[in-house]
Amino acid sequence: MATFFGEVVVAPSRAGLDEEEEAREETPEDREIRREIEKKRYRQCGRLRIEVLWSCAEESLVCSRFIVAIGRNAAAFLSSFILDSVCWEVIGVVKLWNEWCRTSSTTNVLPTDSFCLFYRLIADPTVLLCQCSCYVAEDQQFQWLEKIFGSMQKKGLQVTILSTCPVADYKTQESTLTLVSPFLKALKTKEFQEQVCCPLLEQPNIVRDLPAA
């Protein structure tokens, strides 16, 4: 239970349930739809739904700060204000396939909008960035997180997530027509003791999809 609104808490998730347990709660129609989707994905990627490719040889990346930009707007923000210099190097990509994102079969670590890209700060190799401009399906989010964070040493790791949503989805007593946009709101965990750079997100607004995961 959250001690205050705006705190990020770990909620029960069905993402880690095995297929047999999940199948017992599905209708025959749900199972048929899920099988057809999985068949399409498996034909494209040979049952390898998500693959992380690193250019560095370390088995476990030492990381103190990890900044993840999810969505094209957040990824463009990183490109314009942080990555627009020679201080960063590409060290990894994520390959995946779903109904809205089809990455190529290449094994090279090359920048492309179809990938989630990882950058490392040359001056401080423990600072990593991730630009995730491609869509990660709901049933791929757990595997996405597991593979990426499984490659990192998580002790002392601070993770910052940047994401955007339409102003029309923002719930407030004010008229959204009078809001000055874009504007910035924050959520944080109880472990984060530093001062946040903007007001906390108000009730009853929530974060969804991959940023929430």
Side-chain angles (χ1 to χ4, degrees), residues 17-34:
L17 298 179
D18 57 43
E19 293 184 359
E20 293 183 0
E21 182 177 353
E22 184 178 356
R24 287 197 293 268
E25 301 178 12
E26 291 180 328
T27 65
E29 292 80 8
D30 291 336
R31 287 196 295 271
E32 183 62 27
I33 292 173
R34 181 167 59 84

Side-chain angles (χ1 to χ4, degrees), residues 23-65:
R24 287 197 293 268
E25 301 178 12
E26 291 180 328
T27 65
E29 292 80 8
D30 291 336
R31 287 196 295 271
E32 183 62 27
I33 292 173
R34 181 167 59 84
R35 289 194 188 105
E36 289 302 317
I37 292 175
E38 289 177 347
K39 286 179 182 178
K40 291 180 180 179
R41 292 178 181 169
Y42 293 158
R43 281 198 295 267
Q44 293 292 328
C45 53
R47 299 190 65 86
L48 185 59
R49 301 172 66 181
I50 293 180
E51 182 181 7
V52 182
L53 303 175
W54 300 101
S55 62
C56 47
E58 296 95 333
E59 293 184 2
S60 182
L61 294 171
V62 178
C63 185
S64 61
R65 291 179 180 266

Side-chain angles (χ1 to χ4, degrees), residues 50-123:
I50 293 180
E51 182 181 7
V52 182
L53 303 175
W54 300 101
S55 62
C56 47
E58 296 95 333
E59 293 184 2
S60 182
L61 294 171
V62 178
C63 185
S64 61
R65 291 179 180 266
F66 184 40
I67 302 174
V68 186
I70 299 175
R72 293 192 177 274
N73 290 333
F77 175 83
L78 278 190
S79 295
S80 299
F81 295 100
I82 299 179
L83 292 172
D84 190 19
S85 68
V86 295
C87 301
W88 302 87
E89 60 178 345
V90 178
I91 63 166
V93 296
V94 174
K95 291 172 52 180
L96 57 84
W97 190 96
N98 55 49
E99 292 70 46
W100 294 274
C101 175
R102 305 182 182 186
T103 61
S104 66
S105 59
T106 179
T107 58
N108 296 325
V109 179
L110 296 175
T112 170
D113 285 340
S114 298
F115 290 95
C116 299
L117 286 173
F118 296 93
Y119 296 85
R120 179 165 56 188
L121 183 62
I122 297 175

